[in-house]
């Protein structure tokens, strides 16, 4: 589904990615681990079309997304890609339901359909009773589950998560991790997850270890 060919990236004179090759199949949960500064977030942003490569290609179902223009890319991202970050990035003035719905509205989908789907997703994530509350009124785990609903709203082909449980206590972290694997078994949802959480990394089908801008090791379960 997602193919990365010889991707290089520099910030100024700093070579952050030094030739990354990678293949992600539908329904896989792949974790990426490595020391701080290894290039994990940079790679994830490039895979998620939030950042561009210097050289190399990112192919999505064979389509070269490294060459798409900004407008097409934004549309593509909204439709096919979900993101979950360490900090939930929910909009403070909107409720959980509205936050989860936003990418659906941006996609131009009918309002009612989006709201219904958002409510269903929030219900599935045990947030039915909290969906009319704003982020400041939600616990850390609830905020992050709202971010999961937002990531799922347009039924993306792939979800990229950057240290999704980095800000959660171990109980909420475990609950979030279980949600990822439930989504995979129920919907064949594909995930690429950057994590410092060893438990999550070892739950994944494959773990890629990054060091100094390269994937230096791959552990398959
Ligand atoms: N926009 C940027 N401009 C300049 N340098 C950057 C930029 N983004 C990242 N870097 C540098 O690139 C290197 C890799 O950063 P990256 O965020 O990918 O690391 P990481 O593996 O995600 O680390 P962490 O585990 O701390 O999140 C770091 O040295 C970082 O300082
Ligand atoms: Mg990072």
């Amino acid at each position: 589904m997602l193919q990365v060919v010889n991707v290089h990236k520099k910030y100024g004179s700093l070579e952050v990615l030094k030739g990354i090759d990678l293949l992600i199949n539908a329904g896989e949960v792949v974790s990426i681990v490595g020391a701080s500064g290894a290039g994990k977030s940079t790679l994830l942003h490039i895979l998620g079309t939030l950042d561009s490569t210097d050289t190399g290609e990112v192919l999505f179902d064979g389509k070269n997304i490294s060459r798409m223009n900004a407008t097409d890319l934004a549309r593509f991202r909204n439709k096919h890609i979900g993101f979950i970050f360490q900090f939930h990035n929910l909009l403070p003035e909107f409720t959980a339901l509205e936050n989860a719905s936003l990418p659906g509205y941006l996609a131009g989908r009918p309002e009612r359909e989006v709201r219904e789907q958002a409510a269903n997703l929030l219900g599935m994530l045990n947030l039915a009773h909290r969906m009319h509350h704003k982020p400041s009124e939600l616990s850390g785990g609830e905020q992050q589950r709202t971010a999961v609903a937002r990531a799922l709203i347009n039924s993306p082909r792939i979800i990229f998560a950057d240290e999704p449980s980095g800000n959660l206590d171990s109980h909420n972290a475990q609950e979030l991790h279980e949600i990822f694997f439930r989504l995979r078994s129920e919907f064949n949802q594909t995930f690429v997850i950057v994590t410092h959480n060893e438990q999550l990394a070892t739950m994944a089908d494959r773990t890629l270890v990054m060091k100094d801008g390269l994937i230096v090791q791959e552990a398959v379960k």
Side-chain angles (χ1 to χ4, degrees), residues 16-17 20 32 35-44 210-213:
V16 179
L17 299 179
I20 300 281
I32 302 179
S36 178
K40 306 181 298 294
S41 295
T42 304
L43 176 61
L44 204 72
M210 281 191 75
K211 192 181 173 193
D212 294 336

Side-chain angles (χ1 to χ4, degrees), residues 4 6-11 14-20 37-47 51-55 210-215:
V4 176
N6 198 22
V7 160
H8 288 253
K9 179 76 179 177
K10 272 186 185 178
Y11 289 119
L14 181 69
E15 217 182 336
V16 179
L17 299 179
K18 300 177 181 168
I20 300 281
K40 306 181 298 294
S41 295
T42 304
L43 176 61
L44 204 72
H45 291 162
I46 286 175
L47 298 181
D51 202 351
S52 58
T53 61
D54 293 339
T55 59
M210 281 191 75
K211 192 181 173 193
D212 294 336
L214 286 168
I215 294 170

Side-chain angles (χ1 to χ4, degrees), residues 136-187:
S136 61
E137 299 160 350
L138 301 175
S139 73
E142 289 169 344
Q143 290 169 347
Q144 205 55 326
R145 298 208 302 282
T146 303
V148 173
R150 179 185 55 187
L152 287 166
I153 191 72
N154 288 333
S155 311
R157 296 288 316 279
I158 189 163
I159 291 182
F160 296 103
D162 198 347
E163 299 185 31
S165 49
N167 208 28
L168 300 178
D169 61 47
S170 59
H171 172 78
N172 276 303
Q174 193 178 341
E175 194 171 323
L176 185 71
H177 302 160
E178 282 165 9
I179 286 168
F180 294 159
F181 287 89
R182 205 172 92 212
L183 291 168
R184 190 269 291 277
S185 49
E186 285 178 22
F187 306 113

Side-chain angles (χ1 to χ4, degrees), residues 48-113:
T49 75
L50 294 172
D51 202 351
S52 58
T53 61
D54 293 339
T55 59
E57 290 177 349
V58 180
L59 306 172
F60 204 99
D61 291 335
K63 189 183 165 105
N64 192 339
I65 54 176
S66 10
R67 299 224 186 97
M68 276 164 84
N69 70 43
T71 316
D72 289 346
L73 207 52
R75 194 174 304 134
F76 178 87
R77 189 186 306 132
N78 176 258
K79 193 158 175 225
H80 297 298
I81 297 179
F83 293 98
I84 302 166
F85 298 102
Q86 178 172 0
F87 301 99
H88 53 75
N89 290 321
L90 299 171
L91 298 177
E93 64 272 34
F94 292 106
T95 64
L97 183 68
E98 290 162 345
N99 267 286
S101 300
L102 275 176
Y105 298 150
L106 285 176
R109 295 169 51 198
E111 193 170 327
R112 218 180 121 178
E113 171 195 304

